[in-house]
Amino acid sequence: MFEQNKLLVVLLVLIVQLQLILTFDDANSGSVSLNFEDNIDGKFSSFSKLNIHLSSQTNFDLTPSRTIPLSQYERLIDFKSDYPYYTLKVHFKRGATQDYVMTSVPMCLVLQAQFQYTVTLFVSENGYIVGVQVTTGNSTCTLSNINQIEQKTEYNYKATMRLQLNDAGPQPDTQRFLEKLKRQQEAKINSQDADNRPFILKYWKYLLPIVVIVVLQSAFTNEGGAPAAGGGGGT
Amino acid sequence: MRWRKVFETNEYGKIDRIIWYDQESVIISGQGRRARSLRYADGLEVWQLAATTTNTNSNQDTVAKHCQVIKNRYDPGTIHILSDDLLWSVSSYGEMLWSIEIPIKSTLKNLFLLSTSQYVIVGSLDSNSNQLQVTYYSKQDGQQAFSSSLPWSFNAKDSLNKCSTMNNLILCSNNEELSIITIPTTTDDTNVKTRHIKASSKIEQIRILYESTTRSVILIKSDNGETKIYQFNKKESTSEWDFNELNIQMKSNSFISIATDKNLAGQQILEASANDQKLNFHVSTINEQTLTNTRSYSVELPENMGEIEYLAYSVVKNTQLVTLRMQDGSLLVIKLADNGAELILHRDEALSSIISVETFDLSLSITQMRIEEEFGGTGMFSMFTKRISSQVSQLISFFLRLLDLFTHGNRNRDYLDKQAALVRDEFNLNKILIVVTSVGKVFGILTQSGGILWKNFFPNFAPFEHFNAVHVPLFHIRSAAHYTHEPLASIVYRDRNSLHDTHIRTFNPYTGDLENNLTTSSLPYHVKRVFLSTQAVDEFCKVLLFVDTNNKIHTYPSVPLSRALSTTIPTYIYLFDKSEQAFVGYYLSIDENDQKTSTNLKEVWRVSFQNEEVINIHTRLSSDRVHSAGIVLGDRSVLYKYTNPNLIAVVTEGIDYQKVPFVNIYLLDTVTGSVKLSHTHKRVKSPVHIVLSENWIVYTYYNQRYRRYEAVSSSLFEGEAQYNYSTFSSFDPIEPVIQSKAYILPYGVNAIQVTTTEKGITSRDIIMATPNGMLIEIPWILFDPRRPLDLTPMDREEGLIMYTPEIMVNFESVINYYKYVYNIRGIHTVATGLESTSIVFAYGLDLFFTRVFPSRIFDQLKDDFDFMIIGWSTVAFVVGSFVAKRFASIHQTKKAWK
């Protein structure tokens, strides 16, 4: 009987914990499913899908679901035929909310980097994706640069993804400032307390010139009394 | 102006009703929650009362709030106020007589307030049973006496909009019918009587012109322009009223006001109508059913002021005075006398509702123009002839001026002075301000004197909405740099009656004259956004570019896009979609040989905000200049600034999963749609004021937790090395390093702006307008996010100041001294010809203009510079050197003879 009761309590606790975890999970971290699309076919088509948990990890590697054959690559190099921008569209779904964000870079930058780029996703306070950025490591490109790249039969996406969360805005740093003031004050008091050296040691800087002057004066009165008097007569 | 009293900027400052007494007036404001009395003689606030309310959550549903204020006709010293669920009475001496709370529900709304000699009557609508509950409260102590109910056919909204109350009558218009409902005033008599007046067409407006315990006059206006006036007379010893129509012929746009005076035989009725630049008045005396003794007046107005918006007619000590507010915000006082009407006061109150400001340089003087022309040629021969001809003309003009001086003397002096004020000064310090007001009046103001040079009124004007504010795009179509052509400015606004129609008005900023070739009132598309072209097209004129609702771009006037925009630098445009809370970036591809005047936009990026609402977008000033690319540190190394010209600041508001309100600040790159900075502030309240300049942003907000205003300053840096020293591209793989610090502000903030100088060499100051009327100039150094807590010798070398959490404001930095300016909504800063000097123009309820010197005056001599000493000492030195030379030669000669 007692055993059964204990089991029941444990079970109840477990259920409550699970519930808590579930609600917390749903509201706070939550999983976000992402679908990456680009426009290299002339229309948007998916090349990678990913499910992520927020607040656990910030760097991911995208696993591409397709490759770019040489023929398509060459067609892309011929810029005039197509719109010269590489556009990345990221669909996201979190709970019931579903939307997409988008960014573009000049197509030749992506070609030059051979589809190796970094995707940065900006995540808002509530865990939704706000924006996306693609960086390839270059800002300029020339056709000759692309032509120099060794030809392959097919090209692979080598995209890494990074999550960037909202920063908490700064707060006026009164705490540290007050601490510093306190420290300074203490230091001042300490310096006053610690200074219990003998009088001569403490003020020797002021005493020394007086001593020197006295000594010099006495030396002059002994030897040069006459020139000093002569000077007085001159004026 | 004798006195002025500025009320609060929050809801307590919004006036609901003013009740006039002989010596003072009682002003009810804040949705019936505040009552105060002002004395006419000196503007002194004699007393103020706040409603005692226990209901704290009433702030949340401000939408449904409404209030009614009446003066008890049987006891004129008592005012009854009904504010949602609160009924209170005050006496004109500032005594709160009583206050009670009447419970309301979503189905039960208090709508009407009436008063009798014994009772205060509240009519509340019960929308469940469609009945009007009439409750009687004792006038003495607010005790509920009794109540009754009557059937009611209007809903709450219609009852508010279409009904008025008068004595113990409720007047409601129902299409072509006016229902007059008599509310019984005593317990014995419970009969509710309803009578009707038929009108020829749908009734638009009912206005009560005069109200007393025995007589009332109302005006009924139908939508076909027909206006009728009814006179109500109370039947002896009952609570019922008789009414009859007054026989009066009125124009459709005329206004009516009634004046009563003890000295007058009867009541006088004034009919006023505006006709172009003329006001017509007809004054008559009301007899039983007709008007007698009609006199007509008319007065010529100095300018077009549109229609009449408000009219009040009064007779003060046998002087007939008419006070009018016109559509353009002008306040007029006109005196009617036997010898005609006379305009005795005209104030442009529109100047307190400025929404857009631009500055234009003044034109060059003729001599300055000649100098420009003299050095304008290219070939050797043409330069020579230009030189000769200009010098000949200079000579001729000199002789003409001399001749003029001898023949006319100083007669033309005023005219010449006026002309001189319109000519650019040596340092380009004086400018002309073009201000657009929310009522549609545009002013040209000279900064030198603050005098209004010209004004233009556009009657069908409606501004565009921009989040919580209104704005009107105002552009420099042609700047004053092209001295051979007059400069041009354009404003774009909506039509007051059909909000989808867009008007463009182009005018000369010096004279206000409309340029009819560049003025239109019909664009064949619905405008979503307007901006200015980057290239000048014909005769140095830029063109306007419009994005329509189909995301197509058009030019006005129609020119090929390839001429309006640069074909080498790509053009990006962003639009904000309010329904989806998303920013969408577009790319505009233009072919050099393309002759298309409109094209579609291509979507290249998108940034979306879920569960947060965008409340403001802030862009940097177009005149923002960055002089140095980096900051020299204490160890002589350079920290490079991240000066991205494509950044915009976005402010959003939301509630997080813990139900804590937050404000987010983002810096968006408008070329790639990437986020360069994102700050979240919890328990913080808008408004957020932003300054975005160079590589830094400063924003202010209200911290609810600590109940104080705070400012955050952030700087973006590239780091120790610069990615590309010559050009900036948003595609550069730069990850900006962000440094931020927060500061406590000593005052609240109404508006904030940064000073602008010509080359951006001068250090920056932040100009801040505070609610207590000060304009404070704070050096940006105090906001520097690199201010260290512990100052090292290296920091000292660099010139940094130690971090203190509070920004100390020295009273010397108040740039308006004791000339306090209130309710400032915006600050406009402009560069001048002197690098040290920036012009500051603050506008709101008051206007303030001054010059500031953020790095002190380093490029000009001080005002008290002693020219005499310098001059005389130079002369003395020259003379001295000659004398010395002579002596030296004599000395030499003597020496040689030895």
Side-chain angles (χ1 to χ4, degrees), chain B residues 294-333:
Chain B
T294 304
R295 273 159 299 152
S296 297
Y297 302 93
S298 77
V299 66
E300 199 77 35
L301 295 178
E303 65 211 50
N304 180 20
M305 297 182 187
E307 296 288 317
I308 301 169
E309 277 195 343
Y310 171 84
L311 172 79
Y313 174 53
S314 51
V315 181
V316 184
K317 289 178 191 153
N318 288 328
T319 317
Q320 297 159 283
L321 291 174
V322 188
T323 310
L324 299 112
R325 189 184 71 225
M326 306 298 287
Q327 204 184 352
D328 72 340
S330 295
L331 175 76
L332 301 177
V333 177

Side-chain angles (χ1 to χ4, degrees), chain B residues 577-588:
Chain B
D577 187 338
K578 205 167 185 180
S579 60
E580 290 186 35
Q581 291 291 327
F583 284 87
V584 183
Y586 298 92
Y587 167 71
L588 195 59

Side-chain angles (χ1 to χ4, degrees), chain B residues 657-881:
Chain B
Y657 62 92
Q658 289 171 320
K659 302 269 178 283
V660 175
F662 65 83
V663 164
N664 276 354
I665 284 89
Y666 296 94
L667 279 182
L668 284 190
D669 185 304
T670 53
V671 169
T672 61
S674 60
V675 179
K676 297 295 173 196
L677 175 142
S678 59
H679 278 169
T680 303
H681 291 274
K682 298 259 167 102
R683 287 181 217 284
V684 149
K685 215 170 84 178
S686 57
V688 178
H689 298 281
I690 302 180
V691 170
L692 182 64
S693 177
E694 287 191 48
N695 66 325
W696 52 263
I697 175 172
V698 171
Y699 56 88
T700 66
Y701 53 82
Y702 179 72
N703 192 328
Q704 285 182 306
R705 203 162 137 208
Y706 295 108
R707 290 158 190 264
R708 66 190 181 197
Y709 287 90
E710 291 178 359
V712 169
S713 159
S714 294
S715 291
L716 289 85
F717 294 103
E718 281 192 25
E720 300 272 301
Q722 200 170 17
Y723 184 81
N724 183 341
Y725 67 89
S726 57
T727 51
F728 178 86
S729 162
S730 281
F731 299 114
D732 288 343
I734 308 167
E735 194 74 12
V737 182
I738 298 160
Q739 295 199 339
S740 302
K741 278 265 157 57
Y743 296 95
I744 300 164
L745 294 174
Y747 301 103
V749 183
N750 274 355
I752 185 169
Q753 190 55 273
V754 66
T755 56
T756 321
T757 54
E758 198 175 21
K759 302 266 188 274
I761 302 169
T762 310
S763 60
R764 304 295 188 120
D765 276 1
I766 306 274
I767 310 284
M768 209 169 82
T770 67
N772 60 358
M774 297 195 286
L775 282 176
I776 311 172
E777 183 186 10
I778 309 168
W780 180 80
I781 284 192
L782 292 179
F783 284 102
D784 193 345
R786 297 182 62 251
R787 281 176 72 179
L789 197 61
D790 294 305
L791 207 62
T792 60
M794 209 90 98
D795 296 329
R796 213 166 277 142
E797 177 83 25
E798 198 193 318
L800 291 176
I801 309 166
M802 194 182 73
Y803 177 80
T804 48
E806 194 183 5
I807 299 233
M808 297 291 178
V809 171
N810 199 335
F811 274 90
E812 282 167 22
S813 52
V814 178
I815 54 173
N816 55 340
Y817 303 103
Y818 288 107
K819 284 198 182 317
Y820 288 145
V821 284
Y822 295 96
N823 300 0
I824 295 297
R825 284 190 310 274
I827 302 169
H828 185 75
T829 59
V830 202
T832 63
L834 283 174
E835 174 56 32
S836 66
T837 312
S838 172
I839 275 173
V840 175
F841 176 61
Y843 55 93
L845 179 66
D846 298 319
L847 310 179
F848 186 80
F849 176 89
T850 192
R851 295 177 198 147
V852 293
F853 314 95
S855 300
R856 310 263 164 252
I857 310 166
F858 60 79
D859 52 3
Q860 47 185 311
L861 298 172
K862 290 229 170 62
D863 288 343
D864 56 352
F865 184 80
D866 207 336
F867 288 96
M868 289 303 270
I869 263 202
I870 278 281
W872 283 119
S873 55
T874 314
V875 168
F877 274 120
V878 170
V879 171
S881 66

Side-chain angles (χ1 to χ4, degrees), chain B residues 205-207 209 218-221 227-229 250 256:
Chain B
Q205 196 192 20
I206 318 166
R207 231 157 57 84
L209 297 174
I218 65 159
L219 173 144
I220 302 165
K221 203 169 189 174
T227 313
K228 281 182 175 175
I229 293 176
M250 293 217 312
I256 294 279

Side-chain angles (χ1 to χ4, degrees), chain B residues 461-493:
Chain B
F461 176 97
F464 287 97
E465 269 158 35
H466 179 76
F467 296 101
N468 289 330
V470 287
H471 89 133
V472 167
L474 168 62
F475 298 106
H476 283 237
I477 293 294
R478 185 161 58 204
S479 76
H482 313 284
Y483 64 94
T484 45
H485 295 72
E486 55 177 22
L488 290 173
S490 277
I491 57 168
V492 180
Y493 60 88

